[in-house]
Amino acid sequence: MAGPGSSPCASCKLLRRRCAKDCIFAPYFPPDDPHKFAIVHKVFGASNVSKMLQELPVHQRADAVNSLVFEANARVRDPVYGCVGAISYLQNQVSQLQMQLAVAQAEILCIQMQNEPTLQSHHHVLELDQDHKALLLQNNNNNINNCSNNNNNNNNNLGYAMSSGQFNSNFASPSSIMQMQMQMQMQDPLKQESLWT
Amino acid sequence: MNPKRCAACKYLRRRCPKDCIFAPYFPPNDPAKFACIHRIYGAGNVSKMLQQLPDQTRAEAVESLCFEAKCRVDDPVYGCVGIIHLLQTQIQNAQNELAKTQAEVAVAQTKLSQTQNSDF
């Protein structure tokens, strides 16, 4: 039970029960932020959150709670897509940046080829320039393996701010996102560092 | 009573009514899908969420819930927020690489135009 003079944690307040000394929620849901637990409870349910926390070592529970709060907020803001909308948007950004990078790299190659003294006459080099550029762009686009195949849906103006957790959603097919997830995990192992600093 | 119970009602060991809210999205041939979503969200919460949505958006809501539930099972600490973080890191890296490459393009173009001017 909470000590004399100390108020119950936000979860025990919401659940209207005694806040035990070893309450699993108390370290992460202080009484001055009732909204935090309310939203997690609404989406996941107190018993599910309790089970999830119990299965984790103590030093990982704070991060787990923060990620659950983030996901719950995302789901409340966007009841259809939740966090998946943000993932789709970011995936599209990655694809666009990779394409821009490929174009820039192709430009460098073109310029380097123009600088090569072994090329033919200056006039002929200029004529080749556009063809080479188009060919290199085509080859580079074909070689971009990380691009999603579902960029069709991402034509809306999506505003996304990680810090405030505000975003609109746009949803590529879940199977493509799950494929992307597997690709990313193979190519770039997930760094288990704190996200909240 | 629905002679063939949906995966949700099978899992919950109950009758599957004709208007079962889960039946369209949890066919009996894929029990793992409901099991995963039940583990993270609970049947009651999923049912409430679906009831608050118009019919035409429920299928996508179920898919996104399944995806997030699977991410949470795979990564109990960060769930799909880990993927978001990974993507943000990729975006940052790609932006840095793009800025560097565009700077190289600018330098190369300057060199080329200097070469072309000296040719003339």
Side-chain angles (χ1 to χ4, degrees), chain A residues 42-45 48 52 55-56 60 63-64 67-68 70-71 75 79-84 87 90-91 93-94 97 100-101 104-105 107-108 111 114-115 122 160 162 171 174 177-178 181 184 188 190 192-196, chain B residues 38-42 45 49 53 57 60-61 63-65 67-68 70-72 74-91 94-95 97-98 101-102 104-105 108-109 111-112 115-116 119-120:
Chain A
K42 181 175 178 177
V43 175
F44 295 99
N48 289 330
M52 285 191 245
E55 288 170 5
L56 290 172
Q60 289 185 321
D63 278 354
S67 70
L68 287 169
F70 184 86
E71 281 190 39
R75 183 58 61 175
V80 180
Y81 298 117
C83 271
V84 177
I87 290 174
L90 292 172
Q91 184 191 7
Q93 269 200 304
V94 169
L97 282 167
Q100 288 174 23
L101 186 59
Q105 286 168 341
E107 273 191 69
I108 289 185
I111 294 169
Q114 289 181 41
N115 265 332
H122 183 67
Y160 176 71
M162 177 78 174
F171 183 54
I177 290 179
M178 289 182 74
Q181 178 193 8
M184 284 191 313
D188 193 359
L190 194 61
Q192 299 291 338
E193 58 193 75
S194 172
L195 306 177
W196 321 115
Chain B
H38 176 62
R39 181 176 163 180
I40 301 300
Y41 295 101
N45 288 331
M49 284 191 247
L53 292 172
T57 59
E60 294 202 334
E63 292 306 312
S64 69
L65 284 167
F67 179 78
E68 287 187 33
K70 189 175 181 310
C71 289
R72 183 59 61 175
D74 291 343
D75 183 353
V77 181
Y78 297 110
C80 68
V81 178
I83 296 179
I84 290 174
H85 176 64
L86 192 62
L87 283 168
Q88 286 192 315
T89 304
Q90 285 191 342
I91 286 169
Q95 284 172 336
E97 190 66 30
L98 182 63
T101 307
Q102 284 172 337
E104 286 173 11
V105 167
Q109 276 173 343
K111 275 190 187 161
L112 178 65
T115 310
Q116 287 171 347
D119 283 350
F120 288 121

Side-chain angles (χ1 to χ4, degrees), chain B residues 9-93:
Chain B
C9 293
K10 258 191 184 171
Y11 186 93
L12 298 169
R13 294 181 190 178
R14 66 180 196 190
R15 283 173 47 178
C16 190
K18 269 192 184 164
D19 59 349
C20 175
I21 196 164
F22 298 120
Y25 317 110
F26 297 101
N29 58 355
D30 191 1
K33 186 175 175 185
F34 183 78
C36 183
I37 218 175
H38 176 62
R39 181 176 163 180
I40 301 300
Y41 295 101
N45 288 331
V46 176
S47 171
K48 263 189 256 171
M49 284 191 247
L50 291 181
Q51 277 167 6
Q52 288 167 358
L53 292 172
D55 277 347
Q56 61 271 23
T57 59
R58 287 179 184 176
E60 294 202 334
V62 165
E63 292 306 312
S64 69
L65 284 167
C66 288
F67 179 78
E68 287 187 33
K70 189 175 181 310
C71 289
R72 183 59 61 175
V73 167
D74 291 343
D75 183 353
V77 181
Y78 297 110
C80 68
V81 178
I83 296 179
I84 290 174
H85 176 64
L86 192 62
L87 283 168
Q88 286 192 315
T89 304
Q90 285 191 342
I91 286 169
Q92 188 61 53
N93 291 342

